[in-house]
């Protein structure tokens, strides 16, 4: 959580300005000397005091019905934070506290006049002119830290830059500022620069403080050792907790690292951490357990690190978690995204239930502007190019067929390394990695751990920028098999149909479809009891695609 923009010192300074400047005083007195807050004073509160405080409406594009939308924000310098009316009321109350009894009387009158109601705030507060959030571009990603910000391109990660270097027309969402200092990776040039500083200034190159001769010798020895490491290996040896975690996720059913899966995970990380959307390449990243034969129906019980993978990105992204269990067709409410705010960058539907998750309802959010609505609020829209990325974690492939589904999903399959470790050895991911796992609440990591984590994620962003978008994604053969087993609600039916397709393809003979229907119904009376012949034909056609067999090619796969 980044630091609040309105600390006591700032609010006390505002109170002093108001006390010394009548044009900012939004109250008067009657003949008896009692404080007065009427319609004229209310107008002055909106037009003079709130802009001085730093409160504005930020334009956010068009809503679902093409109306202009905006959101209430607090601005200080080049940082910006979204506000609730109740939060604004608290901030103003803290300013008025400086005025003693006057402030208390005024606070009471303002509360009774509905000055903080959403309808008044929407129509009365000035709009922030000529300012837009500083967001990623097609070729660059920006990450903001307490001590500065960096730019990531496909070719390089920039040195740390100061906030004064941000262009005047831009502001930074305060919630995007990572509450840590950024420590740059030690390169050969950086190490030599520290050595020069140590030798010439006789000071510690980190603290810039004067140190004794023994300390200088110790620091010099350490720096020279690092220089030799870089010269010999090209880089410093460093812990690889996060890289090891990602590699373990990519292991196949034989325990070997699957390079294609590893590449897909890295691309997914890069995509989710790049806050720009290519119009024709917007997808939801769907992280599922890798399928293995004999464990399709209801047996995949998670615990493979899917949630940890997505949640680890909270350390670099403005993250919002929604319940995957509650996002169903039976709950088609307008406020399903009510927790989402305009500043959020990554939305995670955690633990989605494959059979009930309403994948189709995401399509409009993935293809156009991102529309959100909270309780008691009007619609607000986030422009499509900077709409939040969506990630879904589920134990099984999501329901849905056709290009509308496949083109809007990027499938990432994770192996069973961590579940097997837990079941066979009683070890969870944190224990396997000695407590060094990328949990957003971890306080076990030191600067070296965080530097390694940043370096890995930034390399994923660079990989994604090199690709210029996500490649087509239909999942592996394992994934397609798992999806069909779920669609048929039976792995046994799937195995039977695979045997049928192989037999028909190898025989080269014509088979009447009625014979197939009868054979399948006799073999699986319970599974096919309420299934139409058309669905049975769709089943075997889908298995044909899995096996790369087309029935009746002269009719493009249609029944003869």
């Amino acid at each position: 959580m980044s630091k609040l923009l309105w600390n006591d010192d700032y609010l006390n300074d505002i109170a002093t300005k108001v006390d010394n400047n009548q044009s900012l005083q939004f109250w008067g007195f009657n003949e008896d000397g009692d404080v007065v807050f009427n319609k004229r004073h209310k107008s002055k509160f909106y037009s003079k005091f709130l802009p001085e405080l730093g409160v504005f409406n930020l334009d956010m594009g068009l809503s679902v019905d093409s109306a202009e939308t905006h959101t209430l924000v607090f601005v200080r310098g080049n940082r910006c934070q979204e506000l609730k009316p109740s939060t604004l009321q608290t901030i103003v109350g803290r300013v008025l506290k400086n005025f003693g009894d006057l402030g208390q009387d005024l606070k009471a009158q303002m509360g009774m006049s509905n000055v903080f109601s959403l309808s008044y705030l929407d129509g009365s507060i000035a709009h922030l002119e000529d300012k837009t959030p500083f967001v990623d571009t097609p070729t660059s990603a920006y990450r903001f830290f307490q001590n500065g910000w960096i730019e990531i391109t496909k070719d390089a990660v920039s040195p740390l830059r100061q906030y004064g270097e941000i262009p005047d027309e831009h502001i930074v969402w305060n919630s995007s500022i990572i509450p840590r200092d950024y420590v740059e990776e030690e390169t050969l040039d950086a190490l030599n620069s520290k050595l020069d500083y140590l030798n010439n200034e006789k000071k510690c190159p980190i603290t810039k403080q004067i140190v004794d001769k023994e300390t200088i010798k110790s620091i010099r020895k350490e720096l020279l050792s690092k220089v030799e490491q870089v010269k010999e290996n090209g880089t410093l040896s460093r812990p690889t907790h996060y890289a090891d975690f990602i590699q373990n996720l990519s292991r196949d059913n034989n325990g070997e690292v699957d390079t294609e899966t590893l590449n897909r995970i890295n691309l997914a990380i890069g995509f989710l951490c790049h806050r720009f959307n290519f119009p024709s390449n917007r997808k939801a990243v769907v992280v599922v357990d890798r399928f293995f034969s004999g464990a399709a129906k209801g047996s995949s019980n998670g615990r493979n690190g899917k949630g940890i993978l997505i949640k680890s990105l909270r350390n670099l992204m403005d993250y919002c978690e929604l319940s995957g269990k509650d996002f169903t067709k039976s709950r088609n409410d307008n406020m399903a995204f009510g927790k989402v705010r305009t500043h959020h960058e990554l939305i995670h539907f955690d633990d989605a239930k494959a059979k009930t998750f309403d994948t189709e309802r995401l399509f409009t959010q993935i293809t156009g502007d991102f529309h959100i609505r909270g309780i008691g609020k009007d619609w607000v829209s986030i422009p499509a190019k900077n709409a939040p990325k969506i990630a879904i974690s589920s134990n099984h492939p999501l329901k849905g067929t056709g290009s509308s589904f496949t083109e809007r999903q990027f499938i990432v399959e994770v192996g069973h390394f961590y579940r097997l470790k837990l079941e066979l050895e009683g070890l969870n991911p944190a224990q396997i990695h000695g407590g060094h796992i990328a949990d957003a609440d971890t306080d076990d990591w030191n600067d070296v751990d965080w530097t390694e984590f940043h370096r890995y994620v930034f390399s994923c962003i660079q990989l994604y920028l090199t690709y210029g978008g996500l490649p087509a994604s239909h999942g592996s053969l394992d994934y397609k098999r798992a999806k069909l087993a779920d669609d048929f609600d039976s792995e046994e039916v799937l195995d039977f149909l695979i045997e049928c397709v192989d037999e028909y393809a190898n025989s080269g003979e014509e088979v009447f479809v009625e014979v197939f229907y009868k054979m399948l119904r006799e073999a699986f009376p319970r599974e096919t009891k309420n299934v139409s012949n058309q669905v049975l034909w769709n089943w075997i056609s889908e298995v044909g695609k899995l096996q790369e067999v087309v029935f009746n090619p002269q009719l493009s796969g249609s029944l003869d």
Side-chain angles (χ1 to χ4, degrees):
M1 179 68 182
S2 51
K3 295 179 180 178
L4 289 175
L5 296 180
W6 50 86
N7 55 27
D8 286 337
D9 288 342
Y10 178 80
L11 297 181
N12 291 342
D13 286 344
I14 291 293
T16 300
K17 285 184 180 180
V18 173
D19 196 32
N20 295 326
N21 189 341
Q22 285 191 345
S23 67
L24 297 175
Q25 294 172 8
F26 49 92
W27 63 86
F29 298 95
N30 62 20
E31 294 177 355
D32 297 325
D34 298 324
V35 66
V36 175
F37 181 76
N38 56 30
K39 187 175 181 180
R40 178 172 62 85
H41 300 123
K42 183 186 291 188
S43 176
K44 196 173 182 181
F45 171 76
Y46 290 131
S47 63
K48 298 291 185 181
F49 171 75
L50 287 184
E52 184 66 31
L53 180 62
V55 178
F56 298 89
N57 275 317
L58 179 65
D59 293 331
M60 293 303 300
L62 301 179
S63 69
V64 287
D65 54 2
S66 299
E68 291 186 357
T69 67
H70 49 261
T71 190
L72 189 66
V73 294
F74 188 102
V75 180
R76 183 177 176 187
N78 51 19
R79 299 189 187 185
C80 168
Q81 186 161 332
E82 191 171 4
L83 278 181
K84 295 178 181 177
S86 57
T87 305
L88 175 59
Q89 186 169 0
T90 300
I91 294 171
V92 172
R94 286 171 59 183
V95 174
L96 295 179
K97 190 177 179 180
N98 288 271
F99 301 131
D101 292 340
L102 165 65
Q104 292 303 309
D105 293 342
L106 183 56
K107 182 179 177 181
Q109 289 200 36
M110 293 175 69
M112 290 186 293
S113 67
N114 294 323
V115 69
F116 297 106
S117 70
L118 190 61
S119 58
Y120 278 114
L121 294 174
D122 275 353
S124 304
I125 293 180
H127 286 240
L128 192 61
E129 300 291 344
D130 302 321
K131 294 281 188 180
T132 56
F134 190 31
V135 293
D136 295 353
T137 70
T139 57
S140 294
Y142 304 103
R143 293 270 75 85
F144 306 100
F145 295 85
Q146 288 182 153
N147 60 335
W149 57 282
I150 60 168
E151 179 181 9
I152 306 159
T153 67
K154 66 181 180 65
D155 299 315
V157 177
S158 76
L160 189 69
R161 298 170 178 171
Q162 298 306 304
Y163 281 98
E165 298 178 66
I166 290 176
D168 291 339
E169 68 272 18
H170 291 307
I171 51 175
V172 176
W173 285 114
N174 194 47
S175 53
S176 295
I177 297 173
I178 300 158
R180 291 187 301 278
D181 284 348
Y182 177 67
V183 179
E184 297 184 75
E185 188 175 359
E186 292 187 289
T187 62
L188 188 59
D189 287 344
L191 291 168
N192 284 327
S193 177
K194 288 179 180 179
L195 268 173
D196 290 342
Y197 183 88
L198 179 72
N199 294 330
N200 295 330
E201 302 294 332
K202 310 303 181 187
K203 296 179 181 178
C204 173
I206 305 299
T207 66
K208 311 300 183 186
Q209 299 296 314
I210 297 174
V211 290
D212 58 43
K213 291 182 179 180
E214 288 302 313
T215 303
I216 289 175
K217 286 173 64 176
S218 176
I219 295 173
R220 182 183 292 115
K221 182 178 179 181
E222 182 183 356
L223 287 172
L224 288 171
S225 175
K226 288 182 176 181
V227 167
E228 290 305 312
Q229 276 191 57
V230 174
K231 285 181 177 179
E232 185 175 340
N233 304 320
T235 184
L236 283 174
S237 60
R238 58 169 68 87
T240 57
H241 311 299
Y242 195 69
D244 293 343
F245 169 69
I246 299 299
Q247 278 210 340
N248 290 337
L249 293 181
S250 67
R251 295 185 186 279
D252 61 21
N253 295 333
N254 297 317
E256 300 295 327
V257 173
D258 183 321
T259 55
E260 182 178 348
T261 298
L262 179 60
N263 190 61
R264 293 180 71 78
I265 294 175
N266 290 338
L267 277 172
I269 292 172
F271 168 78
L272 293 174
C273 292
H274 183 228
R275 301 171 306 159
F276 180 88
N277 291 305
F278 295 98
S280 60
N281 196 244
R282 290 178 66 187
K283 302 176 188 287
V285 171
V286 182
V287 187
V288 299
D289 290 331
R290 182 182 291 276
F291 171 84
F292 61 95
S293 182
K297 187 179 178 181
S299 61
S300 180
N301 50 9
R303 298 178 296 173
N304 283 315
K306 302 183 299 293
I308 295 175
L309 170 63
I310 301 172
K311 291 176 183 180
S312 71
L313 304 182
R314 291 185 293 185
N315 294 295
L316 286 170
M317 301 294 290
D318 194 352
Y319 170 95
C320 178
E321 185 173 306
L322 302 178
S323 171
K325 295 178 181 178
D326 295 337
F327 194 72
T328 66
K329 291 183 179 180
S330 62
R331 297 184 60 172
N332 191 15
D333 58 282
N334 286 333
M335 290 180 289
F337 293 91
K339 285 177 60 179
V340 181
R341 296 292 176 263
T342 51
H343 53 77
H344 282 133
E345 300 163 342
L346 174 59
I347 297 171
H348 175 201
F349 285 96
D350 188 28
D351 196 20
K353 299 305 176 187
K355 293 184 183 298
T356 57
F357 187 80
D358 194 0
T359 313
E360 196 167 358
R361 192 157 31 131
L362 294 178
F363 290 173
T364 55
Q365 301 286 53
I366 293 173
T367 55
D369 292 343
F370 197 97
H371 304 297
I372 55 179
R373 185 181 189 184
I375 297 174
K377 283 191 168 186
D378 292 330
W379 288 99
V380 174
S381 298
I382 306 173
K385 67 178 182 178
N386 299 122
K389 301 293 177 73
I390 295 176
I392 305 162
S393 55
S394 175
N395 291 346
H396 295 276
L398 303 179
K399 285 287 186 182
T401 57
S403 59
S404 293
F405 287 87
T406 57
E407 291 174 5
R408 291 180 173 90
Q409 296 181 44
F410 185 74
I411 308 301
V412 173
E413 300 161 73
V414 302
H416 305 276
F417 177 88
Y418 289 108
R419 183 174 61 81
L420 293 176
K421 281 287 185 182
L422 184 63
E423 292 178 354
L424 300 178
E425 302 177 35
L427 297 174
N428 61 38
Q431 291 168 321
I432 292 168
H433 295 279
H436 294 268
I437 197 66
D439 189 294
D441 301 319
T442 186
D443 54 7
D444 298 327
W445 282 19
N446 56 32
D447 286 345
V448 177
D449 295 320
W450 283 119
T451 298
E452 188 273 331
F453 171 73
H454 296 152
R455 184 193 64 80
Y456 192 94
V457 175
F458 295 166
S459 71
C460 292
I461 295 173
Q462 289 183 285
L463 174 68
Y464 171 70
L465 292 174
T466 300
Y467 271 69
L470 290 175
S473 169
H474 303 292
S476 68
L477 192 62
D478 280 343
Y479 173 83
K480 295 173 185 176
R481 181 182 171 92
K483 184 165 176 56
L484 287 179
D486 280 349
D487 288 344
F488 304 159
D489 205 26
S490 168
E491 190 181 349
E492 290 76 17
V493 170
L494 174 60
D495 289 338
F496 183 86
L497 291 174
I498 289 174
E499 290 180 10
C500 286
V501 170
D502 288 344
E503 181 182 341
Y504 296 157
N506 292 331
S507 70
E509 298 178 0
E510 286 192 342
V511 179
F512 285 101
V513 72
E514 286 80 6
V515 173
F516 160 69
Y517 294 154
K518 181 180 179 182
M519 182 172 57
L520 185 59
R521 291 187 185 281
E522 287 177 350
F524 300 96
R526 181 182 60 82
E527 289 85 352
T528 60
K529 181 178 179 181
N530 298 314
V531 180
S532 68
N533 285 347
Q534 179 60 52
V535 172
L536 296 184
W537 167 249
N538 292 340
W539 282 7
I540 198 168
S541 297
E542 289 301 316
V543 173
K545 294 176 185 176
L546 180 71
Q547 301 295 94
E548 298 184 346
V549 172
V550 179
F551 296 105
N552 302 324
Q554 71 279 10
L555 298 175
S556 301
S558 299
L559 278 172
D560 189 348

